[in-house]
Amino acid sequence: MAENLDHQLAMTADLVEHMRAIGDKVDVPRQVDHLAFFPKRAADAVVADLTAAGFSVGEAQRRLFKVGVEFHRTDACDQESAAAFTRDVVGIVNRHGGSYDGWSSMVQR
């Protein structure tokens, strides 16, 4: 099932506003962690696409029919930057038939 980009962008906007409300300096670049799940057959291609997009990819967590992929990249978390990395990730997730679990980062004060 394809991820809905509009839904993911709305969730990203809400998260950025929450971060800003708690005093996060969202314009400061930091490691942003992501998690997505893909069919096992897509694992190698997913890693290649994520790496090409500048993400560092952790060890895949193999399950019965899917593989969980944790990946990260250094990005700012202001609205524009967060929307850009959300578009990047959702594009890769959709291209490989995956599902995106979302992103997180440490608060920068």
Side-chain angles (χ1 to χ4, degrees), residues 24-83:
D24 191 325
K25 295 180 182 176
V26 295
D27 58 325
V28 175
R30 81 289 301 275
Q31 180 175 304
V32 179
D33 301 313
H34 304 266
L35 176 63
F37 296 90
F38 299 92
K40 282 184 177 181
R41 62 178 159 52
D44 291 338
V46 167
V47 170
D49 279 2
L50 289 169
T51 302
F55 291 96
S56 297
V57 181
E59 187 174 332
Q61 303 164 13
R62 299 200 180 269
R63 301 200 171 153
L64 187 57
F65 297 108
K66 295 202 177 257
V67 60
V69 179
E70 293 180 6
F71 51 102
H72 60 269
R73 185 172 75 185
T74 299
D75 284 296
C77 291
D78 58 273
Q79 288 290 0
E80 186 177 326
S81 300

Side-chain angles (χ1 to χ4, degrees), residues 1-12 34-36 38 49-50 53 55 71 73 82-103:
M1 181 165 132
E3 286 294 323
N4 182 306
L5 179 58
D6 290 336
H7 174 73
Q8 289 295 336
L9 288 171
M11 290 177 54
T12 288
H34 304 266
L35 176 63
F38 299 92
D49 279 2
L50 289 169
F55 291 96
F71 51 102
R73 185 172 75 185
F85 66 65
T86 298
R87 284 186 191 92
D88 290 346
V89 171
V90 169
I92 293 168
V93 166
N94 285 342
R95 193 165 37 257
H96 296 287
S99 62
Y100 184 44
D101 196 51
W103 63 273

